[in-house]
């Protein structure tokens, strides 16, 4: 089972570019590649499945220091740059000794850029000092991008 990590996409764009989509199709057309994990856009991007393989176009931010520092965090970055996701794929061995994806899910994350720069796995251990509305907004933004695709994925088919 081969996972490819790709640095691609247009910063702050939640919809994958045509170039990303084309590259994803080419990568998945290679028999050696089973899963593609993308990063660089600094926002969560969609997920797709092709013939038993999958692509997570953009995982968003797990660390957000862009631009600025602790004294002057990024005030002009869109709120989506605080969003991320920890996506998981269950891989099952097949009868012929190969492997395929049989399930997937995710945990939305939010980066507390204003204080600790802590990555908060939303719904797991939400910190008291963070406004619940900020976490809810982040989780909703991530769900809007990821959920429609994950709900449609049928991992029971080959």
């Amino acid at each position: 089972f081969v996972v490819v990590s790709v640095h691609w996409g247009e910063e702050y764009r939640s919809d994958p570019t045509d170039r990303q989509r084309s590259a994803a199709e080419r990568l998945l057309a290679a028999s050696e590649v089973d899963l593609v994990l993308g990063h660089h856009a600094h926002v969560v991007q969609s997920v797709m499945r092709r013939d038993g393989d999958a692509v997570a176009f953009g995982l968003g931010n797990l660390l957000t220091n862009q631009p600025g520092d602790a004294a002057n965090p990024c005030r002009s970055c869109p709120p989506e740059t605080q969003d991320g996701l920890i996506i998981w794929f269950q891989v099952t061995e097949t009868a012929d000794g190969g492997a395929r994806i049989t399930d997937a899910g995710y945990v939305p994350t939010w980066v507390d850029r204003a204080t600790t720069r802590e990555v908060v796995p939303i719904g797991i251990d939400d910190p008291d000092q963070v406004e619940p509305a900020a976490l809810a907004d982040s989780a909703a933004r991530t769900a809007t991008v990821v959920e429609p695709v994950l709900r449609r994925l049928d991992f029971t088919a080959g």
Side-chain angles (χ1 to χ4, degrees):
F1 192 87
V2 176
V3 179
V4 175
S5 178
V6 183
H7 189 230
W8 62 3
E10 186 178 315
E11 287 186 343
Y12 314 131
R13 179 178 167 165
S14 60
D15 186 40
T17 65
D18 291 341
R19 188 171 181 185
Q20 281 176 278
R21 290 182 189 284
S22 175
E25 294 291 351
R26 287 193 317 272
L27 284 166
L28 293 184
S31 61
E32 300 84 5
V33 177
D34 301 294
L35 175 62
V36 178
L37 300 176
H39 50 91
H40 170 70
H42 297 289
V43 296
V44 174
Q45 293 183 317
S46 64
V47 178
M48 76 171 202
R49 183 160 189 235
R50 289 285 184 269
D51 302 323
D53 301 327
V55 176
F57 281 101
L59 303 178
N61 274 328
L62 286 177
L63 294 175
T64 309
N65 272 345
Q66 58 175 102
D69 54 32
N72 184 23
C74 180
R75 303 218 188 281
S76 61
C77 292
E80 294 83 0
T81 61
Q82 289 179 270
D83 305 340
L85 69 142
I86 300 168
I87 193 163
W88 58 264
F89 293 90
Q90 181 176 325
V91 178
T92 303
E93 187 174 354
T94 59
D96 64 0
R100 68 182 184 92
I101 297 170
T102 54
D103 198 6
Y106 75 98
V107 174
T109 63
W110 179 81
V111 179
D112 183 353
R113 190 167 34 225
T115 58
T116 63
R117 303 232 160 118
E118 175 185 8
V119 176
V120 176
I122 299 172
I124 305 285
D125 189 17
D126 298 346
D128 295 333
Q129 73 273 16
V130 176
E131 285 291 324
L135 298 179
D137 290 347
S138 177
R141 285 189 299 266
T142 298
T144 297
V145 173
V146 177
E147 282 286 328
V149 176
L150 284 181
R151 275 196 307 260
R152 289 192 318 263
L153 294 181
D154 178 8
F155 290 101
T156 60

